[in-house]
């Protein structure tokens, strides 16, 4: 299940970006007194009372402006509003209610989404200024007094926001279904693969990059299991993204990865590996997803007896940061190896969900440390007391040691290789947490 989306909107220079930075706890949005500094939507993860959600900062809305930049900012904000679960309308106490506030409020009410009215710049502690009650005229219910600079009232604001989040779905019903995100740069054949899998034209297929705007879901059941295939918009370099709708498509693709159990990273066999392919893969890597590298359009490549091996060797270098991901050569057009792809998806999902007993882990640890002694520094040797598995998806292991600083990256990589050699863990990243005995996480 993807995170709820909360959009912060309002006219320019009411403090939306300052509020956004305060809520996510980092200075991500540019803050300046000049209206219009925030032009594109900016996204950040936020958490409140065990609710995780995606917070969206938007450019200011000028309802009737003919200025090109302001019009584009309005279009960006409208897209964010359309896809948000909850909308926070930010207003300015110092300016009072102005005509633009009424117009923005009217636009938001037409969306039918839950709206929280935030009156910003209430910097004085105590009872609100008399001007505060003027904001009831917007017809959006009780306003929430907030100081985005000092943080006053942000807890009350978030309390109101989470009231509108959808109830948590019982995931046990969907446990058998594997969510699979098809990701890649534009025009590598993602929609063609979905159409081949589903046996119908579920997605528009075109040579024009960017045809797919939204994510689409296709349910498939076969001998390998039950699968929900998520087709995503192609992810381009930021420098090549000009269209407002396409910018939001990229965010949806990121959200699809978040929702997925397995990511199929598609590469165009006729073009080979590109820098953008590594960035696409990095999104799945950062979120700890099981991954398969699918080289599409293999039917269009001129081959001899060694073509596949040479291609595989090159990908091993290009994807050295994701060496655990199996590589498959497919053709969405002809259906070549599509059945084998489903088998591999089910396999890497099981590896990503694998749980290993503490006893077996420590047997491997003892064998590995006896074969290669832990590192030393200035006469002090690393001691690894024991290890255990903390969680799955991805498999996460906790090591209890005498000194975390001695646990060098190279030795961690060695132990990871030993664990993979014994238990497999193909297609999935693994994560290590290092703790000094008696101390918190390092």
């Amino acid at each position: 299940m993807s995170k709820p989306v909360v959009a912060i909107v309002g006219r320019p220079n009411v403090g939306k970006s300052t509020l956004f930075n305060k809520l996510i706890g980092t200075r991500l949005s540019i803050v300046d007194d000049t209206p219009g500094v925030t032009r594109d939507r900016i996204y950040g993860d936020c958490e409140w009372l065990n609710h995780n959600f995606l917070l969206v900062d938007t450019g200011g809305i000028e309802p009737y402006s003919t200025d090109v930049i302001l019009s584009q900012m309005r279009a960006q904000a409208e897209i964010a509003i359309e896809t948000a679960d909850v909308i926070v309308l930010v207003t300015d106490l110092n300016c009072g209610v102005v005509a633009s506030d009424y117009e923005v409020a009217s636009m938001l009410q037409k969306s039918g989404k839950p709206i929280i009215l935030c009156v910003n710049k209430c910097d004085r502690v105590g009872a609100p200024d008399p001007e505060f009650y003027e904001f009831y005229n917007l017809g959006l219910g009780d306003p929430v007094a907030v100081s985005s600079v000092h943080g006053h009232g942000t807890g009350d604001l978030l309390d109101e926001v989470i009231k509108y989040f959808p109830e948590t779905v019982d995931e046990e019903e969907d446990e058998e279904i594997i969510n699979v995100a098809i990701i890649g740069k534009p025009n590598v054949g993602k929609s063609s693969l979905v159409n081949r899998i589903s046996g119908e034209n579920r997605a528009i297929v075109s040579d024009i990059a960017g045809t797919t705007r939204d994510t689409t879901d296709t349910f498939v059941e076969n001998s390998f299991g039950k699968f929900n295939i998520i087709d995503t918009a192609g992810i381009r370099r930021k420098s090549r993204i000009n269209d407002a709708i396409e910018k939001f498509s990229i965010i949806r693709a990121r959200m699809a990865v978040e929702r997925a159990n397995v990511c199929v990273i598609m590469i165009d066999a006729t073009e080979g590996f590109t820098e953008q392919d590594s960035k696409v893969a990095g999104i799945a890597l950062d979120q700890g997803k099981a991954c398969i590298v699918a080289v599409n359009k293999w039917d269009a490549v001129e081959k001899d007896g060694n073509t596949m091996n040479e291609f595989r060797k090159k990908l091993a270098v290009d994807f050295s940061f994701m060496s655990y991901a199996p590589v498959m050569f497919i053709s969405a057009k002809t259906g070549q190896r599509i059945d084998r792809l489903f088998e591999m998806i089910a396999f890497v999902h099981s590896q990503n969900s694998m749980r290993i007993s503490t006893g077996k882990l420590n047997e491997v640890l003892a064998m590995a440390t006896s074969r290669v002694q832990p590192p030393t520094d200035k006469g002090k040797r690393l001691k690894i007391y024991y290890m255990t598995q903390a969680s799955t998806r991805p498999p996460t292991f906790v090591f209890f040691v005498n000194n975390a600083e001695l646990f060098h990256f190279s030795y961690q990589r060695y132990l990871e290789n030993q664990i993979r050699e014994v238990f497999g863990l193909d297609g999935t990243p693994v994560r290590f947490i290092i703790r000094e005995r008696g101390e918190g996480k390092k």
Side-chain angles (χ1 to χ4, degrees), residues 380 382-383 385 398-407 433-442:
K380 192 170 185 180
L382 170 70
K383 291 181 181 177
Y385 300 113
V398 182
F399 290 82
F400 292 87
V401 302
N402 63 331
N403 189 327
E405 292 182 0
L406 294 175
F407 204 166
I433 297 172
I434 315 302
R435 292 180 185 238
E436 290 183 8
R437 191 160 66 176
E439 299 291 336
K441 183 173 74 175
K442 296 289 181 181

Side-chain angles (χ1 to χ4, degrees), residues 317-379:
V317 175
D318 295 331
F319 277 97
S320 57
F321 63 95
M322 197 182 269
S323 57
Y324 53 82
V327 177
M328 297 193 64
F329 298 86
I330 67 170
S331 170
K333 183 178 180 180
T334 67
Q336 184 181 17
R337 299 189 184 91
I338 300 301
D339 286 345
R340 171 69 177 143
L341 178 63
F342 276 112
E343 183 180 2
M344 185 61 72
I345 289 169
F347 174 69
V348 299
H349 175 62
S350 68
Q351 298 287 288
N352 189 240
S353 308
M354 181 184 293
R355 184 168 289 279
I356 306 168
S357 70
T358 301
K360 290 181 179 178
L361 282 173
N362 285 282
E363 286 177 12
V364 173
L365 177 63
M367 179 182 66
T369 52
S370 63
R371 185 180 299 169
V372 177
Q373 288 291 310
T376 60
D377 185 23
K378 297 178 182 178

Side-chain angles (χ1 to χ4, degrees), residues 262-331:
V262 178
C263 292
V264 176
I265 304 163
M266 291 192 70
I267 293 177
D268 189 332
T270 61
E271 292 185 14
F273 177 85
T274 65
E275 180 186 353
Q276 191 60 14
D277 291 319
S278 68
K279 292 181 178 178
V280 171
I283 296 171
L285 174 65
D286 290 343
Q287 296 195 31
K289 304 300 181 180
C291 290
I292 298 167
V293 177
V295 182
N296 192 30
K297 306 182 185 179
W298 193 240
D299 58 304
V301 175
E302 292 186 11
K303 296 177 279 290
D304 57 33
N306 206 34
T307 305
M308 186 179 289
N309 287 335
E310 290 299 322
F311 208 110
R312 197 182 293 275
K313 286 178 183 177
K314 186 176 185 308
L315 286 179
V317 175
D318 295 331
F319 277 97
S320 57
F321 63 95
M322 197 182 269
S323 57
Y324 53 82
V327 177
M328 297 193 64
F329 298 86
I330 67 170
S331 170

Side-chain angles (χ1 to χ4, degrees), residues 43-55:
Y43 291 74
D45 291 317
C46 193
E47 188 269 337
W48 183 251
L49 299 179
N50 296 320
H51 292 274
N52 293 295
F53 56 96
L54 204 61
L55 197 64

Side-chain angles (χ1 to χ4, degrees), residues 8 61 164 170 175 230 322 353 361 411 419 442:
I8 298 176
I61 303 174
Y164 295 99
D170 186 1
E175 202 164 313
I230 309 167
M322 197 182 269
S353 308
L361 282 173
Y411 200 71
I419 291 169
K442 296 289 181 181

Side-chain angles (χ1 to χ4, degrees), residues 377-398:
D377 185 23
K378 297 178 182 178
K380 192 170 185 180
R381 182 176 294 279
L382 170 70
K383 291 181 181 177
I384 305 175
Y385 300 113
Y386 70 98
M387 66 178 292
T388 187
Q389 185 172 358
S391 62
T392 61
R393 300 183 187 181
T396 302
F397 304 99
V398 182

